[in-house]
């Protein structure tokens, strides 16, 4: 049961981060297409910042799971958030 809940939390965290990235790119993209915003962010060197801003929705998912006392799902969201942070750090380091 615990592994299943952690996996569900990871899935929710990944989806929340993806939605957050899409919302961030849409809001900050000044009306440009999502793919154009991502390409421009990669060329200009702030793609890692967009990904980090997208992770803000993980905070909401995390606190919802904590409030419902679904600690293992919250743990999954936290794991994805840490993974995103490490990925962003490595991406910024090598780009």
């Amino acid at each position: 049961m615990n592994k299943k809940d952690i996996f569900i939390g990871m899935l929710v965290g990944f989806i929340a981060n993806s939605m957050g990235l899409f919302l961030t790119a849409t809001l900050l993209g000044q009306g440009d297409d999502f793919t154009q915003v991502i390409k421009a962010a990669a060329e200009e060197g702030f793609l890692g910042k967009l990904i980090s801003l997208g992770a803000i929705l993980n905070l909401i998912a995390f606190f919802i799971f904590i409030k419902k006392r679904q600690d293992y799902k919250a743990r999954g969201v936290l794991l994805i958030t840490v993974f995103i942070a490490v990925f962003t750090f490595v991406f910024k380091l090598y780009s």
Side-chain angles (χ1 to χ4, degrees):
M1 181 80 132
N2 297 341
K3 289 182 182 181
K4 180 182 174 186
D5 287 340
I6 290 174
F7 179 74
I8 291 171
M10 290 174 69
L11 187 64
V12 168
F14 182 75
I15 291 170
N17 193 15
S18 299
M19 287 175 39
L21 175 62
F22 181 76
L23 287 173
T24 303
T26 303
L27 292 175
L28 298 178
Q30 299 172 350
D32 291 336
D33 185 32
F34 175 73
T35 55
Q36 290 177 344
V37 172
I38 296 299
K39 286 179 186 176
E43 290 173 359
E44 295 176 16
F46 64 89
L47 183 61
K49 293 177 184 176
L50 276 180
I51 294 171
S52 297
L53 284 173
I56 291 175
L57 287 184
N58 284 358
L59 185 67
I60 296 169
F62 177 77
F63 282 117
I64 287 172
F65 286 140
I66 290 293
K67 187 163 179 91
K68 291 183 175 182
R69 298 191 183 269
Q70 296 175 345
D71 295 336
Y72 288 102
K73 290 180 183 177
R75 188 179 295 181
V77 173
L78 186 61
L79 284 172
I80 284 294
T81 306
V82 169
F83 174 76
I84 296 290
V86 170
F87 173 77
T88 305
F89 175 74
V90 171
F91 182 76
K92 186 69 176 169
L93 191 64
Y94 290 111
S95 64

